[in-house]
Amino acid sequence: MSKNITPYKDSTLGKKEQVTQMFDNISGNYDGLNRVISLGIDVKWRNKVVALVAEKIRKLFLTLQPELEIWLS
């Protein structure tokens, strides 16, 4: 006997759509609030993730570059 739980009881949307709407409603405030709560640490880890991904892409490109040159010539 599971009870159907939805975020918005008065909504005619399905549960999945309601959850999507709930996250859409808070997303505008999330980054600013996260910045305050984390004392700006979120900026540092976001930049670190970007740098790590960029390095992975660079290494992948350098690995594939010789093969790409052969294929493109």
Side-chain angles (χ1 to χ4, degrees), residues 3-69:
K3 184 179 177 183
N4 189 13
I5 299 173
T6 55
Y8 303 108
K9 294 178 183 177
D10 297 333
S11 177
T12 58
L13 297 173
K15 184 175 183 178
K16 183 176 180 178
E17 290 80 12
Q18 286 186 33
V19 171
T20 300
Q21 181 182 25
M22 180 178 65
F23 280 100
D24 286 345
N25 289 341
I26 66 168
S27 65
N29 300 322
Y30 176 80
D31 283 337
L33 183 59
N34 189 34
R35 181 109 353 108
V36 171
I37 291 172
S38 72
L39 302 174
I41 293 173
D42 66 306
V43 175
K44 291 179 183 176
W45 69 256
R46 287 173 199 243
N47 290 336
K48 185 170 185 169
V49 168
V50 168
L52 289 170
V53 169
E55 180 63 19
K56 292 278 187 185
I57 291 171
R58 187 185 76 78
K59 285 181 179 179
L60 177 63
F61 177 76
L62 291 175
T63 302
L64 296 176
Q65 185 180 7
E67 295 174 24
L68 288 173
E69 287 176 0

